[in-house]
Amino acid sequence: MEATKSNTEDQLIQEAVKFINEQAKAADECSYKIGEYILEKFFEGKIEKVLSKDRKKPVTLRSLLKNGDLLVSPGRLSEATRVVALRNRLKDSNMDLDGISYSHLAELIKLGPDKEEEQAKFLAKIREGKLSTRALAREVWKVKYGQDKPSQNGAQTAGPEDTRTRNQGYCRKTIALFSEIPDDCNFDELFDNDFNTEEIEALQDLASQMAKVLAKAIAFKDKCEGLLPKLQACINERTVTASEQPTEEAVQQEAA
């Protein structure tokens, strides 16, 4: 009975994996087609225009991204177009793309167009079966930011002492960062003249990052309010202890 149940579960899982993978591949093909379309219609098929660091996009593309009827997000369109541009460039370089998925390329574009050597190394490891998509994401992060990628809860895996030391560093760095902001700094004036010229993707990215920073700032405020009484209690205790210690003069008099 148990063996039959196990076989049934195994079959169900295998069928589910097959179905999900097929749909994922179909979604990837759809993304490729969208990217190819944008590349040809809005960038004249010129790969260098897509991979350029210049954030300015063609006027017609900006109008497309602002269209309220568009079901695909600007970020997704941008990713698909850059993935296709990278894939076409690699094909033009006779690069072997066997076993290279859309997800792999979506990670590699994060390195930027000037990291061709790193991209080639990662592609070789992927073909050898040494890098999963998740592992590639961690490696790309390390190349881009010079450190290991944090886990989902924002902290890297570490022992208690390492975590304590790291968190103390975060606390001091955050205090130093906020201390650098002058009291008369007016954020309202920072982007007034840029909102109408910035790409919608850039504005969405700014808004998203700002919301995350605000949430972290509020959380940091709560942590500081919890830490302040402990700091003050420690200061008071150390002050009392210090006042009870005999002075050097008293020690000398007693010795005499």
Side-chain angles (χ1 to χ4, degrees), residues 81-212:
T81 308
R82 288 186 294 143
V83 163
V84 166
L86 175 59
R87 185 180 68 164
N88 290 357
R89 193 198 74 194
L90 294 172
K91 284 182 177 179
D92 291 343
S93 303
N94 296 319
M95 183 71 70
D96 181 10
L97 296 181
D98 185 41
I100 308 301
S101 69
Y102 179 94
S103 298
H104 290 137
L105 295 175
E107 288 299 329
L108 290 177
I109 60 175
K110 297 176 182 178
L111 289 171
D114 57 341
K115 298 290 185 180
E116 294 185 26
E117 186 176 342
E118 285 83 352
Q119 290 174 345
K121 290 179 181 178
F122 287 142
L123 286 168
K125 288 185 177 181
I126 295 168
R127 288 193 298 270
E128 294 168 2
K130 296 179 179 179
L131 272 183
S132 65
T133 304
R134 289 184 180 180
L136 175 62
R138 291 193 294 269
E139 292 299 318
V140 167
W141 181 283
K142 188 181 296 185
V143 170
K144 192 172 181 179
Y145 299 104
Q147 61 182 12
D148 291 335
K149 186 175 183 179
S151 61
Q152 290 184 348
N153 63 3
Q156 298 170 14
T157 303
E161 288 302 317
D162 290 338
T163 301
R164 179 185 179 87
T165 301
R166 186 187 64 243
N167 288 342
Q168 287 176 349
Y170 287 155
C171 178
R172 295 183 185 277
K173 286 179 181 179
T174 305
I175 291 172
L177 177 62
F178 278 108
S179 299
E180 292 179 2
I181 303 175
D183 294 337
D184 60 351
C185 179
N186 186 356
F187 281 11
D188 293 338
E189 300 174 354
L190 291 183
F191 298 95
D192 281 356
N193 297 326
D194 299 325
F195 284 147
N196 292 328
T197 57
E198 284 275 353
E199 300 295 339
I200 186 171
E201 180 185 346
L203 294 179
Q204 289 174 331
D205 184 54
L206 175 63
S208 175
Q209 291 186 42
M210 194 172 293
K212 291 178 181 178

